Amino acid sequence: MDNNSTANDLSKSFQSLGIPKTHVTVGWSNFIATQKQYKSLFVNRRLPDHGWSDVQIQSLLFLFSTLDTNNKTLAKGGNSNSSDDDNDCDNAVDGDTRWCGVGEREGRVYSSLVLQRHFGLSHGMGRSGDITEPQPKAAGSSVLVKLTLLLTLDALKRGSGLEGKINKKQNGPAAFGILLPLCTGMSMSLLLQSIKKEGSPNKDIVLWSRIDQKSCFKAIGVAGLRCVVMPTKIQGDEVITDLEAMEAALQEHGDRVLAVITTTSCFAPRVPDSVDEVAKLCQKFNVYHVINNAYGLQCSKTSKLINRACVLGRVDAVVCSTDKNFLVPVGGAIVVSPNKAIIDNVGKVYAGRASSSPIVDLFITLLSMGLNGYKKLLNERMNMLKNFPSRLDTVAKKHGERLLICQSNTISFGITLDALARPQQDGETEDEYTQSVAKDISSFGAMLFSRCVSGTRVVPRAQTKVLSGEEFVGFGSSTGNYKHSYMTAACAIGVSTAEIDEFLVRLDKTLGEYASKMVKTKARSNID
């Protein structure tokens, strides 16, 4: 585009409508500045330092949507006939649309409200053979997906602290990546299917360092693999990786082990796995090492641990959630790896096209934040982290409880709930007592929720749960013999000081109300 020529043409056109030339000059300068921003985004392929306005972001999204075939429309009775040497698609017949779509999937959207919600980007992402492959009908959507991946990787490197390049010869964990419109668990399953496809047919076992969250355990089964649950150990209040059990299992199952899954984001008292030491074992036994880092990008300590694991041993992929780390709606994940082939294979395993809605949400959010905005959120969390544990401990001690000391976990924090358990009665068996007390302690969680406190987890001691035939004793604490009942609360990205202040007030009040309720219950029992 010849900017001078276009500016002169617009100036003349606007002046003919009575718009002063000086006003046109101001408007055109704004337009040029916006175009420079767009160009900078494509050239640099990294997050802008400062977030964009909603108008700037929407303008770019609508620009992308005009490149997709479903948005090439003309007015009723319009005529787009061009010169004879133009392409056939430029010679549309009279009617509503420039493109004549006769396929079963043409990006048609009935509701104008739905179309607006998606900015006209209805073709989704990928093709049937590869979710990362550009879509011929949707050049704009394809550009948006590729660009969002680059911006996300930049946020991981310059914001979260995951390395793209550890040194000149070695790639870091964020060297390559793929965005998936799936939750963390389903993304994990897709990743496992891809490495299973590339591995030996007799490799069907995944060693999973126990973490009492259902999604990852289920993901292994969905991938058609057998999960062998690795026990954990208790060290003080912390529940940690049992490296000896892991090595023994690698020796026992030998060539049948396809991968080891570790976790770096977890609820207290569980702390991040020793992924650096596990990486050494995976390198020694030549098995895949996958890290579930669902919401760990907000913690620089966790990112450093993963970087270290890549240096000391083997890390094949890291799976992270988009909603928990970047404050977008649920439904997206990013898989990163030092190995490009791993990422390429994940894209090829996905069956069919996919919705690009989670990627559009992430694109908008990243541009809205900018790098400085993202770093600000991370810093705000760190500032609240300075006194959140001590304030939680103060409330706990007021009611005869205490903070669980889990220094390796800087996102999730727990306090004991031992005083909430009534004494065991004469003639009551251990099982009867455990089940009864678990019900009582769980009711405390219900009381918190009824007082509009969400996100806490109340875990009774020694409760048992069966998942897909596997029995988990002490479910919730990631170990079979944890000595406390407890509850957890997170100091996570996006939480405000006001929310934490109000949570502590309501927790204090609810603990007091529960104690009063226990006294009344005991009094009635004595009367009976």
Side-chain angles (χ1 to χ4, degrees), residues 91-314:
N91 298 312
V93 296
D94 289 347
D96 290 323
T97 181
R98 183 182 183 192
W99 282 86
C100 182
V102 293
E104 80 289 348
R105 186 190 287 117
E106 294 294 342
R108 303 182 182 102
V109 178
Y110 178 83
S111 169
S112 60
L113 191 61
V114 171
L115 195 66
Q116 290 174 36
R117 178 172 175 261
H118 294 271
F119 298 92
L121 300 162
S122 59
H123 275 293
M125 57 187 285
R127 305 189 71 180
S128 59
D130 190 338
I131 195 176
T132 63
E133 192 174 345
Q135 171 57 237
K137 299 178 185 177
S141 296
S142 299
V143 168
L144 184 144
V145 171
K146 298 284 187 182
L147 190 55
T148 307
L149 173 61
L150 293 170
L151 296 182
T152 307
L153 289 174
D154 185 47
L156 265 59
K157 295 168 189 172
R158 295 197 294 149
S160 302
L162 281 185
E163 297 288 350
K165 205 80 173 175
I166 294 174
N167 52 52
K168 292 182 179 180
K169 295 182 179 180
Q170 186 177 4
N171 288 326
F176 305 98
I178 182 172
L179 286 170
L180 297 171
L182 298 169
C183 65
T184 311
M186 289 306 296
S187 297
M188 177 69 74
S189 184
L190 194 70
L191 170 63
L192 291 174
Q193 289 176 53
S194 70
I195 62 178
K196 175 186 174 184
K197 186 177 179 182
E198 296 300 313
S200 173
N202 66 326
K203 288 182 177 290
D204 62 345
I205 289 177
V206 173
L207 304 183
W208 178 55
S209 185
R210 180 177 170 181
I211 172 78
D212 289 352
Q213 294 167 272
K214 299 175 186 177
S215 59
C216 191
F217 177 74
K218 292 165 69 175
I220 297 169
V222 170
L225 296 163
R226 176 190 163 200
C227 178
V228 176
V229 182
M230 292 291 94
T232 51
K233 296 195 301 186
I234 299 174
Q235 184 174 283
D237 286 336
E238 294 184 341
V239 177
I240 66 172
T241 318
D242 191 333
L243 293 169
E244 293 79 11
M246 183 77 72
E247 184 166 14
L250 285 165
Q251 291 172 339
E252 176 187 352
H253 297 288
D255 291 339
R256 289 189 61 189
V257 179
L258 174 70
V260 173
I261 296 180
T262 52
T263 304
T264 45
S265 59
C266 43
F267 299 114
R270 185 68 156 83
V271 299
D273 276 312
S274 303
V275 294
D276 48 353
E277 296 299 324
V278 175
K280 293 179 185 178
L281 291 175
C282 290
Q283 189 171 62
K284 176 181 175 181
F285 288 91
N286 192 28
V287 298
Y288 288 98
H289 181 197
V290 177
I291 299 175
N292 180 0
N293 190 44
Y295 52 90
L297 292 176
Q298 57 193 281
C299 178
S300 59
K301 188 175 180 180
T302 299
S303 293
K304 289 176 182 177
L305 178 62
I306 296 173
N307 290 337
R308 175 178 166 81
C310 284
V311 173
L312 297 180
R314 177 170 179 173

Side-chain angles (χ1 to χ4, degrees), residues 41 88 92 95 108 209-210 231 235 256 282 300-301 308 330 363 369-370 488-490 503 511 522 524:
L41 195 65
D88 289 341
R108 303 182 182 102
S209 185
R210 180 177 170 181
Q235 184 174 283
R256 289 189 61 189
C282 290
S300 59
K301 188 175 180 180
R308 175 178 166 81
V330 170
F363 178 77
M369 285 180 180
T488 67
F503 159 65
L511 282 168
K522 184 178 180 180
R524 283 196 300 267

Side-chain angles (χ1 to χ4, degrees), residues 3 53 324 401:
N3 289 335
S53 70
K324 298 180 184 75
E401 307 291 355

Side-chain angles (χ1 to χ4, degrees), residues 203-479:
K203 288 182 177 290
D204 62 345
I205 289 177
V206 173
L207 304 183
W208 178 55
S209 185
R210 180 177 170 181
I211 172 78
D212 289 352
Q213 294 167 272
K214 299 175 186 177
S215 59
C216 191
F217 177 74
K218 292 165 69 175
I220 297 169
V222 170
L225 296 163
R226 176 190 163 200
C227 178
V228 176
V229 182
M230 292 291 94
T232 51
K233 296 195 301 186
I234 299 174
Q235 184 174 283
D237 286 336
E238 294 184 341
V239 177
I240 66 172
T241 318
D242 191 333
L243 293 169
E244 293 79 11
M246 183 77 72
E247 184 166 14
L250 285 165
Q251 291 172 339
E252 176 187 352
H253 297 288
D255 291 339
R256 289 189 61 189
V257 179
L258 174 70
V260 173
I261 296 180
T262 52
T263 304
T264 45
S265 59
C266 43
F267 299 114
R270 185 68 156 83
V271 299
D273 276 312
S274 303
V275 294
D276 48 353
E277 296 299 324
V278 175
K280 293 179 185 178
L281 291 175
C282 290
Q283 189 171 62
K284 176 181 175 181
F285 288 91
N286 192 28
V287 298
Y288 288 98
H289 181 197
V290 177
I291 299 175
N292 180 0
N293 190 44
Y295 52 90
L297 292 176
Q298 57 193 281
C299 178
S300 59
K301 188 175 180 180
T302 299
S303 293
K304 289 176 182 177
L305 178 62
I306 296 173
N307 290 337
R308 175 178 166 81
C310 284
V311 173
L312 297 180
R314 177 170 179 173
V315 174
D316 293 281
V318 183
V319 183
C320 309
S321 166
T322 55
D323 65 281
K324 298 180 184 75
N325 293 294
F326 295 109
L327 310 183
V328 294
V330 170
I334 180 168
V335 180
V336 293
S337 172
N339 187 342
K340 187 176 185 298
I342 294 283
I343 297 300
D344 291 343
N345 290 334
V346 173
K348 290 179 173 63
V349 169
Y350 194 101
R353 284 196 222 177
S355 169
S356 60
S357 293
I359 283 72
V360 174
D361 291 339
L362 184 57
F363 178 77
I364 293 171
T365 302
L366 289 173
L367 280 185
S368 183
M369 285 180 180
L371 182 63
N372 291 344
Y374 182 49
K375 285 184 174 181
K376 181 182 178 183
L377 285 169
L378 297 176
N379 289 333
E380 286 173 350
R381 189 190 83 85
M382 290 301 296
N383 288 333
M384 284 185 279
L385 199 58
K386 293 175 182 177
N387 58 20
F388 177 69
S390 61
R391 294 180 68 192
L392 187 59
D393 190 37
T394 299
V395 173
K397 286 178 177 176
K398 180 180 176 181
H399 299 275
E401 307 291 355
R402 68 172 180 84
L403 182 76
L404 294 173
I405 308 302
C406 304
Q407 293 181 347
S408 298
N409 192 334
T410 58
I411 297 177
S412 178
F413 300 87
I415 59 170
T416 62
L417 294 178
D418 296 331
L420 272 57
R422 61 172 176 78
Q424 189 170 353
Q425 298 175 357
D426 294 338
E428 191 176 27
T429 67
E430 186 66 27
D431 286 344
E432 289 173 340
Y433 174 68
T434 299
Q435 290 178 16
S436 175
V437 169
K439 185 176 180 180
D440 292 341
I441 291 176
S442 295
S443 70
F444 174 73
M447 285 180 68
L448 278 174
F449 192 77
S450 68
R451 287 152 180 75
C452 301
V453 176
S454 64
T456 58
R457 297 174 85 241
V458 172
V459 182
R461 186 174 63 84
Q463 67 175 342
T464 299
K465 187 176 286 290
V466 177
L467 300 177
S468 303
E470 183 89 26
E471 184 179 66
F472 291 84
V473 178
F475 186 82
S477 55
S478 300
T479 184

